[in-house]
Amino acid sequence: MSRLADFDLVIPSLPGFVFSGPLAEGPTTEAAVADVWAELMTRLGYDRFGAYGGDIGSGVSTWLGARHPDRVIGVFSQHIKFPPADRRGDLSPAEEAFIAMLDAKAQDDWGYGILQETRPDTLAAALSDSPSGLAAWIIEKYQRWSDCGGDISRRFGFDELLTTVMLYWVTNCIGTSFRPYRDDRLAPHLPMVAVPAGITVSVEDAGLPRSFAERTYANLTHWHEPRVGGHFFAQEEPDLLAADLRAFFSALR
C-alpha cells in the first residue's frame, strides 16, 4: 500500500498473475475476482473505496461497482466493459462504426486470445519452457498495443520490459494468467453499473462513442479523450492518468 496526495493506494495483482496465487476454487471470472477484492478491502479496514484498472482489471473494477455499490464510491478505467448482447440493440451509426472497427482489428490481432481461451495449457507448456518464447509472447503485445508508432523504445525501456518478462518467468504463472480467458464464458450477466464512473479513452479505443459506454455505466461523470496513450496507459501516460484519477475521485469524497 502506498499514498498519493490524500488517497491510500491498495494495488493487488490479479489472482494467478506473478506473485498472486490462483483462486482456490471456481472459475476465474472478473466477477469472482471483484468479490475477492471486496473481501480484501474489508480485511484491510476500508468500508468505502474507489476502483481503477485497465484490461482485465477494468472488468474487475466494473464488477466491483456492479456487485458492491454500497461500498464502491466510483470506478475508473481507460477500457470500458462492453455491454452484454441484450443492451446492444438500436445502435447509432457511431456505435456501429466503432464495433466494425473492433471486428476488423480482431481479424488481425485476436489469435492470441483464441489460443489463451481454447488451448491455454498447451500454450502455457511451450511458454513455460522457453524464456525467449515467453519474452516474444509478452513484448509483442507492448509493441502492438501501445501508442508507440511501431517503435517500442519510444514508450518503454528494455529493462522495464525484461523485468515484466522475468516476473512471469520466475513465478511460472503464464498458465494461470490465461484463466480469465478460459473462464470468461462462465461469467454472469453484467447488470447496469449505477455508481459514478470515469473513462479516459486511450488511443487504442479511439472513436469510442460515449453513448456506447453509457450502455454499461448509468452514471458516467468523467469522460476524457486525450488522444495519447495506448493499452498500457498507466505506464505510458502516468501523469495524465494520475491527474484524471485525482479529478474523478476527489469529486466523490
Side-chain angles (χ1 to χ4, degrees):
M1 183 175 71
S2 60
R3 194 167 183 86
L4 177 64
D6 294 325
F7 298 95
D8 290 344
L9 302 181
V10 179
I11 309 175
S13 60
L14 292 163
F17 285 72
V18 294
F19 296 107
S20 291
L23 295 182
E25 58 184 25
T28 305
T29 63
E30 294 166 346
V33 177
D35 290 343
V36 171
W37 285 1
E39 176 63 19
L40 169 67
M41 297 304 285
T42 298
R43 297 191 184 193
L44 292 175
Y46 293 93
D47 295 325
R48 298 273 288 164
F49 55 91
Y52 160 77
D55 197 274
I56 295 172
S58 172
V60 173
S61 296
T62 298
W63 275 105
L64 272 167
R67 290 168 81 98
H68 303 277
D70 56 324
R71 301 184 59 197
V72 174
I73 64 171
V75 297
F76 194 97
S77 184
Q78 73 272 15
H79 298 118
I80 72 166
K81 184 68 178 171
F82 288 177
D86 62 344
R87 294 204 299 273
R88 294 197 194 188
D90 299 321
L91 296 175
S92 70
E95 290 171 327
E96 289 180 343
F98 177 70
I99 291 175
M101 180 272 291
L102 293 180
D103 289 342
K105 287 173 63 175
Q107 291 295 316
D108 175 64
D109 196 43
W110 186 236
Y112 84 96
I114 294 173
L115 282 172
Q116 292 181 182
E117 177 185 357
T118 63
R119 299 294 186 273
D121 293 340
T122 304
L123 177 62
L127 298 181
S128 298
D129 190 55
S130 170
S132 60
L134 181 67
W137 189 260
I138 293 174
I139 292 176
E140 183 258 356
K141 309 301 183 292
Y142 279 84
Q143 191 269 338
R144 290 295 302 273
W145 297 351
S146 67
D147 180 22
C148 71
D151 180 3
I152 196 171
S153 64
R154 284 180 48 197
R155 285 294 188 176
F156 309 103
F158 291 115
D159 284 345
E160 180 181 16
L161 295 169
L162 288 174
T163 296
T164 298
V165 175
M166 181 272 294
L167 289 171
Y168 277 83
W169 180 256
V170 300
T171 59
N172 194 28
C173 72
I174 194 67
T176 52
S177 78
F178 294 159
R179 290 189 180 183
Y181 287 81
R182 181 198 66 184
D183 294 344
D184 185 63
R185 60 188 174 82
L186 303 174
H189 181 272
L190 178 66
M192 289 292 296
V193 179
V195 302
I199 303 293
T200 294
V201 183
S202 71
V203 169
E204 182 180 42
D205 287 334
L208 169 66
R210 179 169 179 151
S211 61
F212 193 64
E214 289 171 339
R215 294 172 182 262
T216 295
Y217 307 95
N219 188 12
L220 189 54
T221 63
H222 180 101
W223 182 265
H224 184 198
E225 301 181 46
R227 304 188 188 282
V228 292
H231 185 87
F232 306 96
F233 201 88
Q235 291 175 268
E236 297 176 59
E237 296 290 342
D239 292 339
L240 192 158
L241 176 62
D244 276 358
L245 288 171
R246 287 192 183 101
F248 174 71
F249 284 112
S250 292
L252 302 176
R253 300 186 66 182

